[in-house]
Amino acid sequence: KQEVTQIPAALSVPEGENLVLNCSFTDSAIYNLQWFRQDPGKGLTSLLLIQSSQREQTSGRLNASLDKSSGRSTLYIAASQPGDSATYLCAVNSNSGYALNFGKGTSLLVTP
Amino acid sequence: EAQVTQNPRYLITVTGKKLTVTCSQNMNHEYMSWYRQDPGLGLRQIYYSMNVEVTDKGDVPEGYKVSRKEKRNFPLILESPSPNQTSLYFCASRPYRTGGDTEAFFGQGTRLTVV
């Protein structure tokens, strides 16, 4: 069964810093990997989707990379802002089924 | 606007009282699923549906039922809720494509408390 791990579990940074969130998965046979943002008690907002054939995707200040062979993805946030404070979830869509396997998330706090 | 809509957003109920959480999507997606989110456990899939009248169990199906009579709707039914079903529930949809490489869209969540 696909296991997805996110490190760190929590992160606090001052405003303006660049930061990296990590996601690792155990089975490299994947269709795609999706990064989500979740505000407290709220729904999931899709940030970036990387197909298995891609190396990275960019949206504004966000850049996600994928190294399928090593089972790793990173989410890079440039020039962080207090409004970026949220939990970031990594989800892997494996070849073995249609379910998304989620990591437990990284809780990010950006302080002014 | 493309969206997945869940109702209600918040629900407090008593043990044993049947309830239904509705989910509707307007993107003509074939695949729909339900997840629950619990502290320390992350999101886990409850049930999924590949298309109308086709449903199957996910990782944690006990105590839940689903139906898929129409393509756009995928209700989650708790016949006899128990306190261990207190959780945050999400409905998701995605188009079906051979290869599976499609983006998932999630509803805003339903916070269920069973007392």
Side-chain angles (χ1 to χ4, degrees), chain A residues 1 31-32 34 36 38 40-49 51 89 93 95 97-104, chain B residues 9 31 35 37 40-43 45 50 59 88 90 94-97 99-104 106-109 111:
Chain A
K1 186 183 184 321
Y31 287 129
N32 58 45
Q34 206 165 343
F36 293 90
Q38 183 177 25
K42 300 291 179 62
L44 304 179
T45 302
S46 181
L47 298 173
L48 289 163
L49 171 73
Q51 304 292 1
L89 295 164
N93 181 16
N95 290 3
Y98 249 71
L100 290 178
N101 298 112
F102 282 84
K104 292 187 171 59
Chain B
R9 294 287 313 279
Y31 184 84
Y35 292 81
Q37 185 179 33
L41 296 176
L43 281 102
Q45 191 183 57
M50 297 295 286
D59 294 325
L88 181 57
F90 289 102
R94 66 197 305 166
Y96 175 80
R97 189 159 64 223
D101 57 343
T102 57
E103 182 177 6
F106 279 76
Q108 287 303 296
R111 172 74 66 184

Side-chain angles (χ1 to χ4, degrees), chain B residues 49-112:
Chain B
S49 169
M50 297 295 286
N51 214 323
V52 175
E53 302 291 2
V54 181
T55 63
D56 208 345
K57 298 176 181 178
D59 294 325
V60 287
E62 294 78 21
Y64 304 95
K65 285 176 57 177
V66 293
S67 69
R68 188 90 181 272
K69 293 183 169 54
E70 303 165 286
K71 196 172 186 180
R72 64 183 292 127
N73 297 323
F74 190 45
L76 179 69
I77 303 157
L78 284 72
E79 294 268 358
S80 183
S82 62
N84 66 11
Q85 293 178 298
T86 293
S87 188
L88 181 57
Y89 291 86
F90 289 102
C91 179
S93 76
R94 66 197 305 166
Y96 175 80
R97 189 159 64 223
T98 303
D101 57 343
T102 57
E103 182 177 6
F105 295 83
F106 279 76
Q108 287 303 296
T110 295
R111 172 74 66 184
L112 172 65

